[in-house]
Amino acid sequence: MSTAPQPIYLSIERAMEFIGDANGVLSLLKTLQQTLSDDLPRLQAFLDQEDVYSANRILHQLKGFTPVFCVDSLVEKVVLVESLSKHSEAQDLRLAYKELAPQLEALRLEVVAHLILHPPVSNQNA
């Protein structure tokens, strides 16, 4: 049986340093997975519509998650694209996001794989 590939963008070690509790990390990872699943398609749609303001709101939220869960190289790219969303034309932002999008999708898949292997513990009593 094969094991899941090593994450490229997800850093559980970094998340543990920030959060300090494995269940807290898993809980926030579940939130991150949902956010990425919901917001990446919305972000692309906003960019396709040249709605830079709405794209910025999503990118700003992603910028908040990445320092907690991601390796520095991805954090830097998200920060750069989020910064462009404040000052650039829609076409420039779309081009920058086109390079970032596959990495965010890879992160989403890494989060999904981690949650399958390490599901959050329910707080409900059986």
Side-chain angles (χ1 to χ4, degrees), residues 43-54:
L43 177 55
Q44 186 61 59
F46 288 140
L47 292 172
D48 291 345
Q49 298 165 7
E50 297 190 4
D51 184 349
V52 174
Y53 176 78
S54 296

Side-chain angles (χ1 to χ4, degrees), residues 12 15-28 69 123:
I12 297 301
M16 282 298 295
E17 288 175 13
F18 270 89
I19 299 165
D21 170 69
N23 284 331
V25 168
L26 291 173
S27 177
L28 283 177
F69 290 105
N123 288 334

Side-chain angles (χ1 to χ4, degrees), residues 5 11 14-15 18 25 40 45 49 58 71 87 115 117:
S11 174
R14 175 177 263 185
F18 270 89
V25 168
L40 294 182
Q49 298 165 7
I58 293 173
V71 297
H87 308 291
L115 288 171
L117 293 174

Side-chain angles (χ1 to χ4, degrees), residues 25-86:
V25 168
L26 291 173
S27 177
L28 283 177
L29 266 181
K30 191 172 179 181
T31 301
L32 176 60
Q33 184 270 323
Q34 188 65 52
T35 298
L36 291 171
S37 294
D38 293 346
D39 286 350
L40 294 182
R42 288 179 56 229
L43 177 55
Q44 186 61 59
F46 288 140
L47 292 172
D48 291 345
Q49 298 165 7
E50 297 190 4
D51 184 349
V52 174
Y53 176 78
S54 296
N56 170 262
R57 289 192 330 231
I58 293 173
L59 286 164
H60 187 75
Q61 182 178 356
L62 290 173
K63 185 179 82 168
F65 271 115
T66 57
V68 176
F69 290 105
C70 301
V71 297
D72 287 340
S73 61
L74 185 58
V75 174
E76 291 168 7
K77 290 175 186 174
V78 170
V79 168
L80 175 66
V81 174
E82 190 269 346
S83 178
L84 285 172
S85 73
K86 295 176 186 174

Side-chain angles (χ1 to χ4, degrees), residues 97-113:
Y97 182 71
K98 186 177 180 180
E99 292 180 25
L100 176 62
Q103 296 167 0
L104 291 175
E105 177 59 17
L107 171 65
R108 187 187 71 78
L109 294 174
E110 291 173 14
V111 171
V112 167

